[in-house]
Amino acid sequence: MRVLTKDFFRVIGKNKGRFLSVFFIVLLGAGFFSGIRVSRRDMLLSAEEYYDGTRLMDLRVLGTLGLTQQDVLDIAALEGVEAAYGGYTLDVLCGGEEQEAVRLIAYQDGVNLPTVTQGRLPQEPDECFVDAAFLEQNGYQVGDTLSVSGEALDGSLAQRTFCIVGAGMLPYYMDLSRGTGSVGSGALSGFVLLLPQAFTLEAYTEVYVLLEGALPLDSFAAEYEEMAQAVRRQIEAIAGEACERRQSDVMAKAQEEIDAWESLLEEASAGQKAVRAEIDEGEWQLAQAEIDEKRAQLQEPAQQQQLDGKKQALAQAQEELLRADEESAPQLAEAREEIARARQALETLKSAQWYVLGRDAIASYVAYQNDAQRIAKLSQLLPVIFFLVAALVSLTAMTRMVEEQREQIGILKALGCADRTIVARYLGFALLPTAAGAVLGVLAGEKCLPYAILRTYSMLYTGLPVRRTPLDMREGAVAVLASVCCTCAAAVLACYQIFRACPAQIMRPEAPKNGKRVLLERIPWLWSRLRFTQKATVRNMFRYKKRLVMTVVGVAGCMGLVLVGLGLHDSIAQVCDRQFSALTHYQAAVTLAAPYEAQEREVLLAALDGQDGAVGALAFCEKTVTLSYKDAVQDATLKVPQSEEALERFFTFRDRKTQAAVRFPQDGALLSEKAALLLGAGVGDTIQLTVDGSRSVSVRIAGVFENYIGHLLFLAPQTYEALLGAQPEYNQLLLRYADGSDAFERAGRVFARARSRPGGCVRQ
């Protein structure tokens, strides 16, 4: 036994290259196999740990008329609810010339906790905590003052300037997008956290709900979804009564304000009438009569002078009363208009409604889950191919080793060694590098590969600071067992093929396989032109079919992996060329800080068209919107062209598979293909379109077109007006002009002049 053990280690020493090749190929195969297969789990686990650590809300309740403290208490009392928090949100503009839209959010200690990267959290109502990405992009620093503006600030905020005391991230905004808002272009640039005391709103804008027992669960699993759905149904059950109560309160308060305004208006009108009556028929006529009467009686100059002074004083009083009357008249007229508007708003007040949203309504949550699912789909094929190539290399190495040591096997059998002893010798040689390589490959693969994928995705999901890569024993065991079984089975099969012969036959070299004619020999004009070595090569290919198959399969697998990598690179690199050469035909986009009036817009378009090399310009209404269909949610860019006739010069709408043209619809929406795929919707389906962050309308998909960059939704101007009840505000210009720096420079001068004008609207 000791002799065989020594010989075993001698065999390893003599076959170091083969030993190391099996070790490293198994290490790579097992590492890649297990590493990419656990990447999806590690991605979701990292996000889950981050969400649990920041206490991301499980449900969010929105109310069209706001939510009261009683609503918060009612929700908190439901079965399965751990806690409910009332919150405030408000979309505002901030900055100087280039104002950015941000969302003000009330900080709640217990839900949606921010991750601090600079400074600290706000402790006073005049302090704020800013989005770290917004802070970097706009040049702000901790200690600066942030000023906000907007139409909705009156009665909503206690002040309009705040001191920046910190910056960081929110779990609600894990990716680069900050969602849609109700100000500016509709796209939010960041968030700002304030203390609840900084808000002066009458009611909460939303309620955050944490579920009882949800922390131990995987929020991406079906069990968590069932728990959330159960609580959602309970909230929807109490929504009807709460909405009626809220609507009654709003209408009662509105009526009280109207009554108060009317009372003040009546008092002012009564006082005004009294003043006019006093002026017209009162003291002035009486005083004038007394003056006339006494003037005839009195002759002394002093008394005459005294009466003239009284007359002058009375005239001055009349002028003051008339001036006060004139000043109060516009205010009274304005008060009457306010009352009329309030009455109209009260009459058109829609019924209160609640919307109960889960985590699946968070764009970054859904996008991250979809990306993890893409990695899972990738792991179903590529690791298997890589692993099979590694197994094939190991199989070839072990088979050839056994065949090379055929004479030694015959000697051992002749000396009386049992077959199992000889098999154990080669089995150990196969098992040692395979097991060591597989174990090390699993350890390295499950740690390094998921970490590399998470780090790559961190360029998109900048708000995810957690990277969890625990070992998955199940996937690791599968990789190790599969590697060991492939290599060891090859060694055992090769040995038992030799064991079928007697020792004397085994000690002799194996007889070459019989040659046979191949099909190519039956084509004389081709066969005769081959050299001797070429003919021998062709014959040997069919004499040793197993080697041929193993070589072809191995090379094909490796080439397949190379082509997959190059194909992915080329596919991504060609996207931009395909998008901007075949589908979109404009050279620049100009964003307007405020919509131009029709006359101003025509002047700017005429100036652009008059430039040398200019081909044309088209105005668009552009908004960032949210699309939803069933359980899917996706952010998209809404585009409404000013002229449908000129649209075909800027965009080509066609079907990706058939290349057939897609007609621009007069009724319904035109949706880009990727957005339709993510939503799971198609032509004829009706999706929900959420504009300005709150208003939701239904629109039918009239067509799906090929598009590779961004998610686009096109509407005709009349469709936009019919859906939203307002005309589109054209805030973007797409330009077409001849390529070349001169054309770009001329266009830049036009925009510079437009931007420098008082009230100029060119933003970018």
Side-chain angles (χ1 to χ4, degrees):
M1 191 66 183
R2 292 179 180 177
V3 175
L4 292 177
T5 303
K6 291 180 181 179
D7 184 65
F8 171 73
F9 287 107
R10 289 195 189 102
V11 170
I12 294 178
K14 293 178 181 179
N15 295 273
K16 291 190 293 291
R18 183 169 287 151
F19 184 90
L20 292 176
S21 67
V22 173
F23 172 81
F24 283 111
I25 194 66
V26 171
L27 184 146
L28 291 174
F32 191 77
F33 178 84
S34 60
I36 199 168
R37 287 179 67 89
V38 302
S39 294
R40 174 185 177 273
R41 183 214 60 174
D42 290 349
M43 288 179 68
L44 298 181
L45 186 62
S46 299
E48 180 66 20
E49 182 174 323
Y50 175 56
Y51 289 151
D52 290 345
T54 56
R55 300 288 284 168
L56 177 64
M57 57 86 188
D58 297 299
L59 295 173
R60 184 165 64 114
V61 184
L62 303 176
T64 55
L65 296 181
L67 300 107
T68 63
Q69 182 62 31
Q70 184 60 46
D71 296 333
V72 177
L73 296 176
D74 291 343
I75 294 173
L78 295 175
E79 182 181 358
V81 174
E82 177 183 325
Y85 301 85
Y88 303 102
T89 59
L90 186 65
D91 296 340
V92 299
L93 296 172
C94 69
E97 266 186 47
E98 299 184 2
Q99 290 194 321
E100 301 285 347
V102 297
R103 175 160 292 171
L104 305 182
I105 303 174
Y107 168 68
Q108 298 287 345
D109 187 11
V111 65
N112 298 337
L113 301 177
T115 301
V116 181
T117 58
Q118 298 182 49
R120 58 174 176 82
L121 292 171
Q123 298 175 354
E124 300 294 335
D126 61 345
E127 297 177 343
C128 67
F129 180 88
V130 181
D131 187 349
F134 176 80
L135 195 77
E136 180 180 356
Q137 293 170 2
N138 292 274
Y140 287 102
Q141 295 181 353
V142 174
D144 291 346
T145 299
L146 184 71
S147 300
V148 298
S149 61
E151 297 178 356
L153 290 185
D154 295 335
S156 301
L157 285 178
Q159 59 191 68
R160 299 196 177 192
T161 57
F162 302 91
C163 178
I164 300 175
V165 297
M169 302 167 290
L170 271 183
Y172 196 87
Y173 302 110
M174 198 169 68
D175 59 0
L176 297 174
S177 173
R178 294 298 180 258
T180 59
S182 58
V183 296
S185 65
L188 295 175
S189 300
F191 66 84
V192 177
L193 287 186
L194 305 175
L195 290 181
Q197 294 84 344
F199 292 86
T200 57
L201 292 169
E202 176 193 358
Y204 298 119
T205 57
E206 51 197 47
V207 173
Y208 309 115
V209 181
L210 294 177
L211 302 182
E212 188 176 7
L215 274 180
L217 300 180
D218 180 5
S219 62
F220 299 97
E223 186 179 358
Y224 171 85
E225 185 61 28
E226 292 174 0
M227 175 185 290
Q229 287 292 344
V231 176
R232 179 181 297 183
R233 286 191 291 269
Q234 294 184 60
I235 296 176
E236 291 172 348
I238 67 171
E241 181 181 351
C243 288
E244 291 179 3
R245 181 175 64 238
R246 177 58 183 161
Q247 187 161 7
S248 299
D249 292 343
V250 171
M251 294 181 70
K253 291 180 180 178
Q255 189 60 49
E256 288 178 3
E257 292 180 0
I258 292 174
D259 293 342
W261 275 102
E262 288 182 341
S263 177
L264 291 175
L265 184 61
E266 290 176 0
E267 292 178 2
S269 298
Q272 191 179 44
K273 290 179 181 179
V275 169
R276 287 176 179 172
E278 183 179 359
I279 292 174
D280 295 338
E281 301 177 0
E283 294 181 1
W284 171 249
Q285 295 179 356
L286 180 60
Q288 187 66 42
E290 292 177 355
I291 291 172
D292 293 340
E293 182 179 358
K294 291 182 179 180
R295 182 180 295 170
Q297 298 174 0
L298 297 175
Q299 301 296 327
E300 293 81 359
Q303 293 180 349
Q304 183 66 34
Q305 186 177 3
Q306 183 179 6
L307 288 174
D308 291 340
K310 289 182 179 181
K311 181 178 179 180
Q312 185 178 0
L314 288 172
Q316 185 178 358
Q318 182 188 29
E319 290 178 1
E320 292 178 357
L321 290 173
L322 289 173
R323 190 183 306 112
D325 184 32
E326 291 175 356
E327 292 177 355
S328 63
Q331 298 176 357
L332 293 175
E334 184 180 358
R336 292 190 186 94
E337 292 178 1
E338 290 291 337
I339 292 174
R341 281 196 291 267
R343 285 190 177 279
Q344 184 179 3
L346 190 59
E347 292 173 358
T348 59
L349 181 66
K350 294 183 178 180
S351 300
Q353 197 171 4
W354 279 12
Y355 297 96
V356 185
L357 307 176
R359 290 186 179 180
D360 54 2
I362 303 175
S364 61
Y365 178 92
V366 176
Y368 189 80
Q369 187 178 16
N370 291 336
D371 286 335
Q373 191 61 35
R374 293 186 185 100
I375 294 294
K377 290 181 179 179
L378 195 65
S379 69
Q380 294 175 1
L381 179 62
L382 290 184
V384 176
I385 296 176
F386 198 93
F387 185 80
L388 288 178
V389 171
L392 192 62
V393 172
S394 302
L395 177 65
T396 304
M398 292 308 305
T399 302
R400 290 191 175 184
M401 178 181 175
V402 173
E403 291 177 352
E404 289 173 1
Q405 297 191 1
R406 176 185 177 89
E407 295 180 5
Q408 190 172 1
I409 292 174
I411 294 173
L412 290 174
K413 282 182 66 68
L415 293 175
C417 286
D419 290 350
R420 63 175 178 274
T421 303
I422 300 173
V423 171
R425 182 169 176 263
Y426 294 99
L427 195 62
F429 185 91
L431 183 61
L432 190 58
T434 302
V439 170
L440 289 178
V442 167
L443 293 176
E446 293 193 2
K447 285 292 184 181
C448 298
L449 195 56
Y451 183 85
I453 292 175
L454 282 168
R455 186 170 181 177
T456 301
Y457 270 108
S458 67
M459 293 186 293
L460 295 176
Y461 299 97
T462 55
L464 180 61
V466 180
R467 296 172 189 167
R468 291 274 290 135
T469 58
L471 294 175
D472 189 325
M473 301 306 296
R474 184 176 64 85
E475 293 292 346
V478 169
V480 172
L481 289 176
S483 302
V484 169
C485 289
C486 289
T487 309
C488 293
V492 172
L493 289 175
C495 289
Y496 273 100
Q497 284 180 353
I498 297 176
F499 289 165
R500 289 184 297 183
C502 62
Q505 292 176 331
I506 298 174
M507 284 187 289
R508 291 196 297 269
E510 185 179 9
K513 292 186 178 182
N514 296 329
K516 59 177 68 174
R517 296 187 68 184
V518 296
L519 180 62
L520 201 59
E521 294 183 49
R522 302 181 186 277
I523 309 176
W525 64 270
L526 179 59
W527 182 257
S528 62
R529 285 173 170 76
L530 297 179
R531 294 192 299 271
F532 174 79
T533 54
Q534 293 174 336
K535 292 178 179 179
T537 301
V538 172
R539 284 175 175 159
N540 286 337
M541 287 172 57
F542 293 95
R543 287 178 68 190
Y544 305 102
K545 296 183 181 65
K546 184 173 68 174
R547 293 182 181 179
L548 173 65
V549 172
M550 293 174 67
T551 302
V552 170
V553 172
V555 172
C558 294
M559 185 58 66
L561 291 174
V562 172
L563 288 177
V564 167
L566 294 176
L568 288 173
H569 175 270
D570 292 343
S571 298
I572 296 172
Q574 294 297 322
V575 163
C576 289
D577 293 338
R578 190 178 182 90
Q579 177 75 34
F580 290 102
S581 62
L583 301 177
T584 56
H585 314 297
Y586 60 89
Q587 278 69 46
V590 180
T591 302
L592 308 179
Y596 258 176
E597 297 296 334
Q599 184 177 358
E600 295 176 314
R601 186 169 60 248
E602 295 301 330
V603 171
L604 180 58
L605 293 177
L608 291 171
D609 288 337
Q611 295 295 316
D612 295 337
V615 179
L618 181 61
F620 278 82
C621 170
E622 184 183 77
K623 288 178 177 288
T624 303
V625 298
T626 302
L627 309 178
S628 57
Y629 179 72
K630 296 182 179 179
D631 295 332
V633 180
Q634 181 62 48
D635 287 342
T637 300
L638 170 65
K639 284 185 173 292
V640 182
Q642 183 185 14
S643 172
E644 299 173 32
E645 292 76 13
L647 182 61
E648 61 183 11
R649 293 190 296 162
F650 294 83
F651 290 92
T652 294
F653 300 113
R654 70 186 186 189
D655 184 88
R656 179 178 58 85
K657 297 179 180 178
T658 65
Q659 299 296 298
V662 177
R663 187 178 61 85
F664 190 79
Q666 298 299 315
D667 182 21
L670 207 58
L671 184 62
S672 58
E673 182 181 7
K674 185 63 176 179
L677 181 64
L678 294 175
L679 291 173
V683 177
D685 292 332
T686 299
I687 61 176
Q688 292 296 315
L689 170 65
T690 303
V691 184
D692 297 335
S694 59
R695 188 175 181 184
S696 182
V697 295
S698 299
V699 60
R700 182 181 62 86
I701 300 177
V704 174
F705 66 95
E706 180 183 5
N707 188 71
Y708 297 99
I709 298 179
H711 304 299
L712 303 179
L713 179 78
F714 283 86
L715 292 176
Q718 62 271 20
T719 306
Y720 179 92
E721 186 174 356
L723 290 174
L724 301 176
Q727 293 184 350
E729 296 180 348
Y730 299 105
N731 56 0
Q732 184 189 58
L733 294 176
L734 297 186
L735 310 178
R736 293 190 65 212
Y737 41 79
D739 292 336
S741 59
D742 292 341
F744 278 86
E745 186 177 352
R746 285 191 296 270
R749 287 196 294 267
V750 174
F751 298 134
R753 288 195 298 270
R755 187 171 184 172
S756 62
R757 290 175 50 196
C761 69
V762 174
R763 177 179 176 184
Q764 293 179 346

